[in-house]
């Protein structure tokens, strides 16, 4: 990985709210020191509510976008993968 030992070259994590206590802990960051985890650049995904509505989607986007706006680049930029014409790789 271009970000050291991290296998995911991303600057912010979106985590399932069912693992909040584990994911945001200092112990988790010590055992899995991904640059974005160490920088506390994350936002939760409220997967357990089973609420399917535009209002709920708007709430999720507001929470995520507020956290994303504060995030900084913590992993090196990489080149995009060129997909074959008309398909996914």
């Amino acid at each position: 990985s271009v970000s050291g030992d991290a296998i995911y070259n991303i600057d912010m994590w979106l985590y399932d709210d069912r693992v909040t206590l584990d994911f945001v802990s200092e112990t988790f960051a010590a055992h899995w020191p991904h640059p974005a985890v160490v920088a506390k650049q994350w936002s939760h995904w409220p997967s357990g509510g089973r609420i399917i509505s535009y209002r709920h989607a708007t709430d999720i986007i507001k929470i995520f976008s507020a956290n994303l706006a504060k995030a900084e680049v913590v992993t090196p930029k990489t080149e995009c993968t060129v997909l074959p014409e008309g398909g996914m790789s």
Side-chain angles (χ1 to χ4, degrees):
S1 167
V2 296
S3 58
D5 293 331
I7 60 172
Y8 301 106
N9 195 38
I10 60 170
D11 298 317
M12 185 170 171
W13 281 96
L14 182 63
Y15 66 87
D16 185 316
D17 66 350
R18 294 172 290 184
V19 298
T20 298
L21 294 177
D22 294 327
F23 194 89
V24 302
S25 73
E26 296 295 332
T27 303
F28 182 79
H31 290 312
W32 198 61
H34 184 280
V37 172
V38 173
K40 300 181 179 184
Q41 294 187 170
W42 57 59
S43 189
H44 77 282
W45 177 260
S47 64
R50 305 289 185 247
I51 302 168
I52 303 171
S53 71
Y54 291 113
R55 181 180 176 100
H56 187 61
T58 301
D59 292 340
I60 293 169
I61 291 168
K62 285 179 181 177
I63 292 167
F64 178 75
S65 62
N67 291 325
L68 182 60
K70 297 183 285 186
E72 297 181 8
V73 174
V74 293
T75 59
K77 181 180 177 180
T78 60
E79 297 298 319
C80 293
T81 301
V82 178
L83 297 177
E85 186 175 328
M88 298 179 358
S89 62

